[in-house]
Amino acid sequence: MTRDIIEQYEQEFSSLFQAKRAFAFWKGRVALYAILKAMGIGQRDEVILPGYTCVMNVNPIKYLGAKPVYVDIEPNTFNINPKLLPEKITNRTKVIIAQHTYGYVCDMDAVMEIAGQKQVPVIEDCCLSLGSKYKGQLAGTFGEAAYFSFQWNKPYTTGLGGMAVINAEELAERIETLVEKQACEPGFQEVMMLWVQLCIYRAFVYPRTTALAQSLFRYLTKKGVIVGSSAASEFKPTMADDFLKKTSNMQAGSGLKALKKLDNIIAHRKVMADLYDRLLSEKGWPTRQYDRSVMQPVMVRYPVRIKQKDKALSKAAKAGKELGSWFECPLHPIETPLQTYDYTVGMCPEAEKAAREVVNLPLHSRVSEKTAWQIVDFITAFTASN
Ligand SMILES: *Cc1c(COP(=O)(O)O)cnc(C)c1O
């Protein structure tokens, strides 16, 4: 008997975390939606998350009629500042989303202790932290549930893709029912388009061509030729009918292949991040600030603060240097109507400062030692001359 490829992918992913169950979805945000919905989140409930995130992470909360409540970040790790957490918890708080930003794990001792005292469940946003550990324990194994993304920029990519990893038996059963009753199947055409994109990506996207490829992808998405990671309808808090979508065999197959290479993917990211530490410190720049005896991060990108971020980004794009900008504002991207998402400017000062200052350096499998030192040369020279 042949085992369903999606089921196999879910089981292999789940066993990485020794979780109860894993459920694969079309995107990471869909996994979050499924978890929140299965937890019964609805009108008037409050969901806590950092004010340094992507709007696509806030949509599922809004779709359910709940209110996002933002907590400011801690400036070194860009993660929720646990000191500010207790004052945000009310009797309406139903969930805390602990987002492990760039690969740095949240201060989980503090987060879990506060959540435990207040009896609020924790969902871990592991979209940027596959393989990261806190006190030797994998991110994704602390809360009731965790979710992952396999979009283009994530630890590994299946084009688009997401996974919900569930550590609580009852919640797993509720998600299973939700998927059976309400989730739709991806369409043949969108899967084909995604597959074509994945082939193009594998063949052509290298650090030098990334900026070009991104603008081409954005253009083709607007023209409806390819499936972008975010449709125009996703920039407002109204859910599309086919939002709750399962994954495809194509994505699951691609994910299973990536899992076989996961140790190498993680090792490469660690080596390159250490290399950036060394190269930057040789230039007298600050490097990553985190407690090495507590956290073993697997970074998705390497964040650096610079002055004149916008100018640096446009110069880098012209020079063919892959400099990224997450997050452009507290609810990335810069076009997000903050008020619609219950964010008021000034709510999270550290997050707003980080959004003005932080660029990030690539760590993916195409980044070689040479690209790393070229990028470090670029940003240090840029800063010296500006
Ligand atoms: C990418 C990302 C998501 C959403 O993942 P998609 O697969 O694009 O839906 C959620 N949270 C964080 C922190 C992310 O970086």
Side-chain angles (χ1 to χ4, degrees):
M1 201 178 86
T2 55
R3 201 148 51 114
D4 182 303
I5 189 166
I6 294 173
E7 210 172 288
Q8 191 186 340
Y9 183 35
E10 290 173 336
Q11 277 174 11
E12 285 195 19
F13 205 90
S14 173
S15 71
L16 282 179
F17 299 89
Q18 296 178 333
K20 290 276 185 303
R21 287 284 300 274
F23 299 87
F25 292 96
W26 183 243
K27 294 177 187 178
R29 65 196 76 169
V30 183
L32 172 61
Y33 176 82
I35 297 167
L36 293 174
K37 177 130 178 136
M39 281 182 166
I41 306 303
Q43 300 288 337
R44 295 164 66 79
D45 289 338
E46 293 177 359
V47 176
I48 291 180
L49 75 169
Y52 189 65
T53 188
C54 172
V55 67
M56 299 309 159
N57 228 7
V58 190
N59 270 334
I61 301 169
K62 297 292 278 181
Y63 292 167
L64 291 163
K67 185 183 171 203
V69 173
Y70 302 101
V71 180
D72 204 0
I73 56 167
E74 191 278 313
N76 288 329
T77 62
F78 309 94
N79 284 328
I80 217 160
N81 183 342
K83 291 196 191 75
L84 305 173
L85 190 53
E87 68 197 53
K88 297 283 181 177
I89 300 177
T90 71
N91 52 18
R92 295 221 173 112
T93 307
K94 290 291 152 61
V95 181
I96 297 167
I97 299 179
Q99 171 186 295
H100 305 306
T101 315
Y102 300 121
Y104 293 126
V105 187
C106 295
D107 181 350
M108 289 315 279
D109 279 350
V111 171
M112 294 312 289
E113 193 188 322
I114 297 163
Q117 277 165 4
K118 306 273 186 179
Q119 301 201 320
V120 178
V122 172
I123 301 176
E124 296 177 74
D125 178 346
C126 296
C127 293
L128 302 174
S129 63
L130 178 60
S132 293
K133 287 181 178 171
Y134 176 89
K135 296 192 172 171
Q137 187 181 335
L138 272 174
T141 59
F142 292 87
E144 264 191 34
Y147 60 106
F148 296 78
S149 168
F150 316 113
Q151 185 255 18
W152 306 104
N153 299 307
K154 303 303 157 93
Y156 69 77
T157 188
T158 61
L160 299 173
M163 189 76 79
V165 168
I166 312 301
N167 300 317
E169 183 71 49
E170 205 201 332
L171 182 62
E173 282 166 18
R174 275 189 260 133
I175 295 185
E176 183 165 35
T177 311
L178 175 72
V179 171
E180 272 171 17
K181 295 212 167 123
Q182 295 184 32
C184 64
E185 298 285 345
F188 176 75
Q189 200 184 349
E190 59 188 347
V191 175
M192 280 308 291
M193 289 198 296
L194 192 60
W195 179 73
V196 170
Q197 267 164 268
L198 204 50
C199 295
I200 295 175
Y201 177 86
R202 295 219 169 101
F204 296 112
V205 181
Y206 288 87
R208 270 196 68 80
T209 58
T210 297
L212 182 71
Q214 275 174 354
S215 38
L216 181 67
F217 274 137
R218 271 191 211 119
Y219 175 79
L220 293 174
T221 304
K222 270 197 196 130
K223 295 275 165 197
V225 179
I226 60 177
V227 270
S229 48
S230 299
S233 63
E234 289 187 79
F235 290 92
K236 50 182 193 302
T238 330
M239 191 170 104
D241 291 341
D242 66 344
F243 179 77
L244 181 52
K245 196 181 289 178
K246 298 181 199 175
T247 203
S248 59
N249 287 339
M250 188 283 286
Q251 288 157 294
S254 165
L256 277 168
K257 273 190 208 142
L259 286 184
K260 289 203 172 56
K261 293 185 286 191
L262 192 57
D263 289 345
N264 290 340
I265 292 171
I266 287 173
H268 176 78
R269 288 182 177 279
K270 285 187 170 166
V271 167
M272 296 316 288
D274 288 343
L275 178 63
Y276 282 129
D277 280 340
R278 201 187 81 216
L279 296 174
L280 287 165
S281 72
E282 280 170 12
K283 303 263 186 186
W285 275 50
T287 55
R288 289 181 291 167
Q289 300 290 312
Y290 65 92
D291 187 344
R292 278 146 174 87
S293 68
V294 170
M295 203 198 298
Q296 300 84 44
V298 179
M299 312 292 293
V300 72
R301 307 280 300 192
Y302 188 107
V304 200
R305 290 178 191 259
I306 56 168
K307 295 203 183 81
Q308 305 208 53
K309 170 172 163 174
D310 291 342
K311 194 170 168 193
L313 286 169
S314 65
K315 269 204 148 177
K318 282 190 200 117
K321 299 285 178 284
E322 191 186 336
L323 208 55
S325 175
W326 291 345
F327 299 104
E328 292 168 353
C329 74
L331 311 178
H332 187 93
I334 198 82
E335 293 83 7
T336 301
L338 296 177
Q339 288 291 351
T340 310
Y341 288 92
D342 310 293
Y343 187 92
T344 313
V345 174
M347 259 182 184
C348 301
E350 283 296 345
E352 291 173 24
K353 186 163 182 275
R356 284 194 299 274
E357 296 179 346
V358 175
V359 294
N360 60 66
L361 318 180
L363 293 165
H364 53 77
S365 59
R366 267 81 185 269
V367 179
S368 64
E369 270 189 37
K370 191 174 157 205
T371 353
W373 60 251
Q374 282 176 343
I375 291 173
V376 169
D377 273 353
F378 173 85
I379 54 165
T380 51
F382 169 83
T383 304
S385 67
N386 274 279

